[in-house]
Amino acid sequence: MTGQKQTQAASDGQSPEDGRSHDLQKALEQRTGLLHELDHRVKNNLQLISSLMLLQARHAHEPAVKTALEAMHERLNAIAVVHRGLFMTEDPGRFDIAAFVRDLAAELAGARPGVRIMLDLEPVAMRTGHAAALALLINELLINALRHAYPEGRQGEVRVKITRSGSEMRIGIADDGVGMANANQEQGFGLSIVDLLSRQLQARVAWEDAHPGVHVAVTLPVEAE
Ligand SMILES: Nc1ncnc2c1ncn2[C@@H]1O[C@H](COP(=O)(O)OP(=O)(O)O)[C@@H](O)[C@H]1O
Ligand SMILES: [Mg+2]
């Protein structure tokens, strides 16, 4: 509607500046639309690859191969959730990590019957360029809690909390499960990914054996609003 009015104004003999700013506005809208379209397509393609991984996991006979393919399916799925968030945002340069966690938790809810995921999320916008790395990091920690903290049908609650103070964001992932005492001695691939991504994001990752459960806190810098 506004666009129509401006076009009329320009042809009504108003200043050519109005026409130019209208053209610029239109070009910007087109560019934003294209970016969103691209994120939409990337999301669909990632989901396709993710589904292929799951199909192959189901075909695999060897348990280690099956587990590795399932984990890759989950990782690709987390990146697809990021792209779904990107094509729905107003500003393609910013990404709300709280909205991502809500989406991911909705997808993982029910993955472990008897284990609830509780969210306490302050919206924090970050640069889109870092979104996939942080999303993957959160995915590893959340899935670890769901997968390892509640063996043999134990029940419990995983809490995810996001807060921002000044130029830092803190993401807490806390479970009330069995703790790390029985953890595999060797660091798994998941925790290697956490190390790698936290370096990339300049994040600090603090682990606490909280009896009960494991509390992980990820702290990282975010730009001023
Ligand atoms: N929240 C948790 N509660 C209990 N044990 C955990 C938790 N997170 C990780 N672990 C332990 O740490 C190990 C290494 O995790 P990870 O590197 O992600 O490998 P993977 O998940 O493939 O086993 C896990 O196998 C598990 O024993
Ligand atoms: Mg893991």
Side-chain angles (χ1 to χ4, degrees), residues 82-100:
V82 169
H83 279 270
R84 185 167 69 209
L86 288 178
F87 89 82
M88 291 191 316
T89 52
E90 298 252 309
D91 178 354
R94 311 288 288 169
F95 179 77
D96 179 10
I97 198 71
F100 162 78

Side-chain angles (χ1 to χ4, degrees), residues 32-108:
T32 308
L34 274 173
L35 272 176
H36 283 170
E37 174 63 25
L38 198 63
D39 279 318
H40 187 54
R41 288 189 199 174
V42 170
K43 180 212 71 171
N44 285 345
N45 288 345
L46 283 167
Q47 259 169 3
L48 189 64
I49 305 171
S50 171
S51 305
L52 278 175
M53 294 255 172
L54 190 61
L55 282 178
Q56 198 168 12
R58 287 186 182 149
H59 268 84
H61 297 296
E62 194 138 349
V65 174
K66 210 184 237 317
T67 311
L69 285 167
E70 278 166 1
M72 287 310 290
H73 155 75
E74 289 158 353
R75 290 175 187 126
L76 283 163
N77 191 55
I79 307 179
V81 172
V82 169
H83 279 270
R84 185 167 69 209
L86 288 178
F87 89 82
M88 291 191 316
T89 52
E90 298 252 309
D91 178 354
R94 311 288 288 169
F95 179 77
D96 179 10
I97 198 71
F100 162 78
V101 170
R102 239 187 326 271
D103 277 5
L104 184 70
E107 298 225 342
L108 296 177

Side-chain angles (χ1 to χ4, degrees), residues 75 140 144 148 190-191:
R75 290 175 187 126
E140 292 303 325
N144 267 359
H148 302 300
L191 293 184

Side-chain angles (χ1 to χ4, degrees), residues 67 71 75 140-151 173-175 177-194 207 209 213-216:
T67 311
R75 290 175 187 126
E140 292 303 325
L141 297 174
L142 185 54
I143 286 190
N144 267 359
L146 294 173
R147 178 154 304 139
H148 302 300
Y150 306 97
I173 296 165
D175 66 66
V178 293
M180 294 290 271
N182 301 320
N184 303 334
Q185 289 308 305
E186 247 176 80
Q187 174 168 297
F189 182 54
L191 293 184
S192 307
I193 295 182
V194 169
W207 294 81
D209 228 329
V214 177
H215 292 191
V216 190

Side-chain angles (χ1 to χ4, degrees), residues 113-142:
V115 180
R116 292 206 302 167
I117 306 177
M118 305 297 287
L119 304 176
D120 178 3
L121 310 171
E122 202 179 297
V124 181
M126 62 185 296
R127 280 216 324 268
T128 298
H130 287 161
L134 185 57
L136 268 180
L137 199 162
I138 295 172
N139 180 62
E140 292 303 325
L141 297 174
L142 185 54

